């Protein structure tokens, strides 16, 4: 029953991701930008056919989307198995895994439905008379990154298994 709490994290990420992508898709034209914080943050509407941060977006091969879907399904399976095999009392680990799970499902749903992922958060700096942008991302991507960060914190707080030296 305690796992329901963690499952609600994944469901929340999936819902927030879907709602935010729907709002962007229905209210912002593709490639349009709405400045929120000058010289730092704007909302955009980008359709990403590639992997994280647009890697592989310009690939001509049909193999790229297939491999992205297979990879996302693989991550989903690994995370589910690891979450079920890990102690429910390990809050940091479980929270991280369920953030990753929710983010992976959110982006996978887009890939299956539309063949692309809607990205809309654009962080950038103006420097030297030019704008330098981080690739656009979305709520699912954010959840995955935060989840990975929590997994790193979780690994740091646990002692290394016997016979393996910890690197400091």
């Amino acid at each position: 029953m305690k796992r329901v709490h963690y499952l609600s994290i994944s469901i929340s990420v999936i819902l927030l991701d879907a709602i935010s992508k729907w709002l962007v898709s229905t209210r912002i034209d593709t490639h349009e930008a709405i400045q929120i914080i000058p010289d730092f943050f704007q909302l955009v509407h980008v359709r990403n056919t590639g992997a994280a941060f647009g890697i592989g977006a310009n690939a001509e091969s049909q193999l790229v989307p297939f491999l992205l879907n297979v990879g996302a399904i693989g991550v989903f399976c690994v995370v589910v198995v690891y979450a079920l095999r890990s102690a429910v009392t390990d809050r940091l680990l479980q929270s991280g895994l369920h953030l990753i799970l929710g983010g992976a499902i959110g982006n996978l749903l887009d890939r299956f439905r539309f063949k692309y992922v809607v990205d809309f958060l654009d962080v950038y700096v103006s420097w030297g008379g030019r704008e330098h942008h981080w690739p656009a991302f979305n709520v699912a991507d954010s959840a995955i990154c935060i989840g990975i960060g929590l997994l790193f914190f979780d690994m740091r707080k646990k002692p290394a298994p016997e016979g393996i030296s910890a690197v400091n």
Side-chain angles (χ1 to χ4, degrees):
M1 193 64 183
K2 291 182 181 182
R3 292 194 190 277
V4 172
H5 168 73
Y6 297 115
L7 190 58
S8 70
I9 293 172
S10 294
I11 292 169
S12 296
V13 168
I14 294 165
L15 290 174
L16 284 171
D17 184 60
I19 291 167
S20 62
K21 288 173 180 174
W22 175 78
L23 286 170
V24 166
S25 295
T26 59
R27 292 192 164 86
I28 302 175
D29 291 332
T30 307
H31 303 294
E32 181 183 355
I34 299 173
Q35 194 174 66
I36 305 298
I37 301 172
D39 298 326
F40 183 70
F41 177 69
Q42 62 187 6
L43 296 178
V44 296
H45 180 178
V46 179
R47 294 179 176 177
N48 178 4
T49 57
F53 311 119
I55 296 170
N58 296 326
E60 303 269 333
S61 172
Q62 290 297 99
L63 187 61
V64 172
F66 174 75
L67 291 174
L68 291 172
N69 289 339
V70 168
I73 292 168
V75 167
F76 170 81
C77 293
V78 167
V79 169
V80 167
V81 168
Y82 195 56
L84 291 173
R85 295 186 67 160
S86 300
V88 72
T89 55
D90 196 341
R91 293 188 311 229
L92 201 57
L93 175 66
Q94 290 291 341
S95 296
L97 289 171
H98 283 82
L99 282 167
I100 294 168
L101 184 62
I105 291 171
N107 282 339
L108 191 58
L109 289 172
D110 273 10
R111 289 199 187 284
F112 281 140
R113 289 180 13 215
F114 308 122
K115 307 273 190 264
Y116 60 84
V117 173
V118 174
D119 288 331
F120 58 91
L121 302 170
D122 183 21
V123 177
Y124 66 101
V125 294
S126 292
W127 183 55
R130 296 182 50 202
E131 289 183 354
H132 303 275
H133 292 258
W134 183 258
F137 57 99
N138 57 44
V139 171
D141 298 333
S142 300
I144 291 168
C145 290
I146 293 167
I148 291 170
L150 291 178
L151 295 184
F152 280 125
F153 281 126
D154 183 67
M155 285 189 286
R156 294 291 299 169
K157 74 177 179 110
K158 292 180 180 170
E162 203 168 304
I164 297 176
S165 63
V167 178
N168 290 326

